[in-house]
Amino acid sequence: MSETAAPIDPHPDTLPDMLEAARTSKAWPFEEARKLIDRLNKEGNPNRPVIFETGYGPSGLPHIGTFGEVARTSMVRHAFTLLTEGRIATELICFSDDMDGFRKVPTNVPNQDMLAAHLDKPLTEVPDPFSNEYESFAHHNNARLRRFLDQFGFEYTFMSSTETYKSGRFDATLLKMLAAYDAVMDIMLPTLGEERRKTYSPFLPVCPRTGKVLQVAITERRVADGTIVYTDPETGEAVEVPVTGGHVKCQWKADWAMRWAALGVDYEMSGKDLIESVRQSGRICRALGATPPEGFNYELFLDEKGEKISKSKGNGLSIEDWLTYASPESLSLFMFQKPKTAKKLYFDVIPKAVDEYYTFLGKFAEQPADQKLGNPAWHIHAGEPPATENPVGFAMLLNLVSASNAEDPAVLWGFISRYAPGASPESHPDLDRLVGYAIRYFEDFVRPGKVFRTASPLEQEALDDLDRRLAALPATDHTDGEAIQAVVYEVGKSHAFENLRDWFKALYQVLLGQDQGPRFGSFIALYGVAETRALIAKARDGALANA
């Protein structure tokens, strides 16, 4: 974690070719980075430090969307560093809006009644519902966010809304907001309904009596004194509070703009659902005498039902969920790919993401500079993808676990080392990590859905033919997936299937208990010819379907 702005090492030994390619790269992080360079040039100050920001609302547990913003912003930051040859210092601020009022109890946390008793208080004043380890709900959620960001190796500066308001860091900008009050109201009121207009103010006073963040009308503004006056909704008394020192919290659109101005934010991305909010906050930022940051609107993640993922609903994957079943790098790949396309984010996408990551990683070393910069591995690893070799993919491992009923990694390594002589957990640590992921994923998501069926007469005839042909394979062909795949194809063509898809579907359903599966020749090479023949015998005898 970084506490100060600092350039990322651009690795000068590879810079010339990469720099030339970066100037024209169509990879979206480079397109975004070039917008920042244009911004600096328009200012006439091309070498000043650049501030990136991501925001987090700790009213709910951190979710993958939060991680996605940090991951994607970090990719833009590194692309910018390459384009500027490391000359310009950059800083990524991860800002937690933890002074916001606690308006709704999330459904996916414990101690609901206790939390309900603290509604409307700043999140840093709401007790931690999970344990007594943290001083508040916000502190607990902030710690979880930081722990995962640190685990992924992000370089960032964490900022707390409560700390920045109370420390006085925002005071000068809050006084500007007070002076520009009418301009801010002119921007916001036309966007609100009739009832909301009656009480709207860019300032939310923190009630000295109850500690609650109030949504009340401001009855008087005393610009010279730096204070506002409101009527206490319970006592009816007029209350005067400073806008500085943490005595008020800004409404979120005004808060966003105030933060941009106070921190000098140059770049912040946000979801497509916030396009209009970005526009309004940008106008407020200009009313404060500052320039809004450059931005990028990404599409939202959806759950398996196609509904928007929500922190309060808890209907999406958590970061912990993904990391239980797959590598951090595969999650970063999911974030990199097609950020402007809505994507379903649920457990079924994990195997594909894992295998695609290793495919991209395997191609990287041999690619020319322009293709390397378009390769997700470059962006995932900040320009330094590791050299790695995985002779077996994640989807194939899942099928190996399925066919072998193995719950012990050592059993799987027995198959792997026969297929790839010399491979071991020590020589292939990445693959060993995948073995553990595959066992967990299979147990939780594949095994519960497995349904074997018996073969039809046509299918059984073809399976018997496959068995005979496998038995006749020379020993030298037993680990040649392509040679075995040719045999599988030939069997399918030799029998009266309407198309080969029906033959392969039968193989998956009868032998593996699922509707789709791996390239079958490669699977046999990994699992073993003798073991596959034994599997065919069990299917013939009904042992698989009956079990």
Side-chain angles (χ1 to χ4, degrees):
M1 186 176 68
S2 171
E3 298 297 341
T4 58
I8 303 171
D9 180 6
H11 305 290
D13 56 324
T14 61
L15 192 58
D17 290 346
M18 287 294 202
L19 180 59
E20 187 62 31
R23 288 171 177 151
T24 57
S25 175
K26 296 190 180 301
W28 66 264
F30 284 105
E31 292 179 341
E32 292 301 293
R34 287 193 288 268
K35 285 162 48 176
L36 278 168
I37 292 173
D38 289 343
R39 176 187 178 94
L40 299 184
N41 288 336
K42 287 177 183 177
E43 290 179 1
N45 191 7
N47 295 313
R48 70 164 176 82
V50 169
I51 305 298
F52 297 81
E53 184 185 54
T54 65
Y56 165 56
S59 57
L61 300 177
H63 64 91
I64 283 183
T66 308
F67 164 82
E69 278 199 18
V70 181
R72 288 168 171 164
T73 304
S74 296
M75 292 172 184
V76 176
R77 182 186 184 193
H78 187 72
F80 175 82
T81 298
L82 176 59
L83 281 168
T84 56
E85 304 178 61
R87 292 178 289 100
I88 299 176
T90 62
E91 182 177 20
L92 170 56
I93 295 172
C94 293
F95 193 93
S96 174
D97 193 13
D98 57 20
M99 194 176 163
D100 198 17
F102 184 50
R103 307 301 183 192
K104 181 180 178 182
V105 179
T107 58
N108 60 338
V109 298
N111 294 309
Q112 303 266 308
D113 292 341
M114 179 276 288
L115 289 174
H118 294 276
L119 287 173
D120 297 323
K121 291 183 180 179
L123 290 162
T124 44
E125 299 297 329
V126 177
D128 180 7
F130 297 95
S131 68
N132 294 322
E133 182 181 356
Y134 297 98
E135 59 186 278
S136 75
F137 187 30
H139 284 83
H140 174 274
N141 290 344
N142 286 343
R144 289 186 65 167
L145 174 69
R146 296 176 73 172
R147 186 161 59 246
F148 284 109
L149 296 182
D150 291 344
Q151 181 177 347
F152 281 85
F154 291 119
E155 180 184 294
Y156 66 97
T157 300
F158 179 82
M159 284 192 186
S160 156
S161 175
T162 301
E163 292 175 3
T164 47
Y165 269 93
K166 289 186 175 182
S167 70
R169 182 162 185 175
F170 287 160
D171 283 359
T173 310
L174 289 166
L175 291 172
K176 288 181 182 179
M177 181 84 73
L178 182 61
Y181 187 94
D182 290 336
V184 175
M185 293 291 279
D186 288 344
I187 292 167
M188 290 304 304
L189 291 182
T191 71
L192 305 173
E194 183 177 352
E195 286 301 312
R196 187 71 186 91
R197 291 181 193 178
K198 295 177 182 178
T199 60
Y200 180 83
S201 164
F203 297 111
L204 302 175
V206 179
C207 179
R209 183 175 57 83
T210 65
K212 293 182 177 180
V213 182
L214 302 177
Q215 300 187 59
V216 292
I218 302 305
T219 58
E220 188 178 352
R221 304 184 310 282
R222 298 173 179 172
V223 177
D225 297 329
T227 62
I228 55 174
V229 179
Y230 69 94
T231 301
D232 187 310
E234 294 181 359
T235 67
E237 297 179 355
V239 182
E240 181 179 7
V241 294
V243 298
T244 54
H247 293 92
V248 304
K249 166 74 169 64
C250 286
Q251 292 271 8
W252 84 268
K253 293 175 186 176
D255 183 86
W256 209 5
M258 185 274 298
R259 224 158 62 207
W260 290 343
L263 300 177
V265 176
D266 293 294
Y267 187 88
E268 181 162 2
M269 57 176 62
S270 57
K272 188 177 180 181
D273 57 333
L274 297 181
I275 290 176
E276 188 57 35
S277 298
V278 170
R279 186 175 294 116
Q280 292 160 11
S281 295
R283 293 181 64 195
I284 295 172
C285 186
R286 291 187 182 92
L288 299 177
T291 302
E294 305 302 313
F296 176 86
N297 295 114
Y298 55 81
E299 262 291 2
L300 306 178
F301 293 126
L302 310 174
D303 65 14
E304 66 270 22
K305 298 177 183 177
E307 297 178 355
K308 176 186 172 183
I309 286 177
S310 163
K311 288 198 302 288
S312 59
K313 289 182 181 178
N315 60 331
L317 294 186
S318 70
I319 304 172
E320 297 101 319
D321 288 335
W322 189 291
L323 296 185
T324 297
Y325 304 107
S327 63
E329 297 83 6
S330 63
L331 177 55
S332 294
L333 172 66
F334 189 84
M335 296 302 166
F336 176 86
Q337 292 178 310
K338 298 180 179 179
K340 292 201 170 186
T341 299
K343 295 186 290 188
K344 288 186 177 181
L345 178 57
Y346 60 110
F347 290 103
D348 286 4
V349 306
I350 290 177
K352 181 182 178 184
V354 174
D355 280 340
E356 286 185 344
Y357 164 72
Y358 282 105
T359 297
F360 284 120
L361 193 61
K363 292 177 179 178
F364 184 83
E366 303 303 320
Q367 290 179 315
D370 59 334
Q371 292 181 22
K372 284 182 175 179
L373 295 184
N375 187 322
W378 189 91
H379 301 273
I380 291 168
H381 293 284
E384 289 190 276
T388 188
E389 179 186 358
N390 274 353
V392 183
F394 190 60
M396 190 67 76
L397 284 173
L398 287 175
N399 287 284
L400 180 59
V401 178
S402 177
S404 63
N405 288 310
E407 299 177 359
D408 183 353
V411 174
L412 295 185
W413 272 105
F415 291 101
I416 295 168
S417 59
R418 182 180 62 186
Y419 174 72
S424 69
E426 294 73 27
S427 65
H428 289 71
D430 263 12
L431 182 53
D432 191 44
R433 189 170 52 154
L434 286 188
V435 166
Y437 290 140
I439 291 173
R440 289 193 291 273
Y441 189 92
F442 172 79
E443 289 296 329
D444 291 346
F445 299 108
V446 180
R447 186 190 292 277
K450 287 175 72 68
V451 179
F452 292 92
R453 67 171 176 83
T454 57
S456 69
L458 169 63
E459 292 165 348
Q460 189 59 62
E461 181 183 326
L463 284 168
D464 289 340
D465 187 9
L466 177 60
D467 181 50
R468 288 190 296 271
R469 297 196 193 203
L470 290 176
L473 279 177
T476 54
D477 290 343
H478 277 213
T479 57
D480 186 345
E482 290 302 318
I484 299 174
Q485 184 74 1
V487 171
V488 178
Y489 264 106
E490 190 58 37
V491 171
K493 293 177 183 178
S494 301
H495 296 269
F497 292 101
E498 288 189 13
N499 57 65
L500 282 175
R501 285 195 302 273
D502 293 337
W503 164 230
F504 284 101
K505 189 173 183 180
L507 287 171
Y508 302 139
Q509 292 178 342
V510 173
L511 299 181
L512 298 177
Q514 55 201 52
D515 290 332
Q516 54 188 351
R519 185 173 175 83
F520 213 75
S522 299
F523 168 73
I524 296 174
L526 173 62
Y527 184 47
V529 169
E531 288 79 2
T532 303
R533 293 185 64 210
L535 202 61
I536 293 171
K538 286 182 180 180
R540 183 190 305 112
D541 296 339
L544 295 178
N546 291 337

